[in-house]
Amino acid sequence: MLFQVRMDVNIPLDMPVEKANEIKAVEKAYSQELQAKGTWRHIWRITGQYSNISIFDVESNEDLHNILQGLPLYPYMNIEVMALNRHPSSIRDNDS
């Protein structure tokens, strides 16, 4: 199942820089592991914002939910999820 996920990050301004940097480093490693597995297919930064648009390929809604809750920055995010389905007018035979 493919999902588009928008993640807006809002780290508290009073969080110590060292703690924020540590969380970001763990987040980066977690996301890159999922990218290497093909679960986190794409990630794009939204220009001018601390936000991204990502594409996930997972087995179920619950799988995506668990992945998102596992993000170290999850407590500081607003997340919007949109399920994706192949469009009948697409000229592509696959998701590439």
Side-chain angles (χ1 to χ4, degrees), residues 54-71:
S54 293
I55 303 295
F56 288 85
D57 187 358
V58 295
E59 293 295 318
S60 68
N61 295 338
E62 184 175 0
D63 286 343
L64 179 62
H65 182 76
N66 291 335
I67 287 167
L68 296 176
Q69 281 196 317
L71 292 166

Side-chain angles (χ1 to χ4, degrees), residues 41-84:
R41 286 241 192 128
H42 301 280
I43 182 169
W44 292 277
R45 178 178 286 165
I46 300 174
T47 303
Q49 300 178 34
Y50 195 174
S51 303
N52 74 73
I53 298 287
S54 293
I55 303 295
F56 288 85
D57 187 358
V58 295
E59 293 295 318
S60 68
N61 295 338
E62 184 175 0
D63 286 343
L64 179 62
H65 182 76
N66 291 335
I67 287 167
L68 296 176
Q69 281 196 317
L71 292 166
L73 286 170
Y74 179 80
Y76 312 107
M77 289 182 176
N78 293 324
I79 298 175
E80 294 179 22
V81 176
M82 187 180 310
L84 302 174

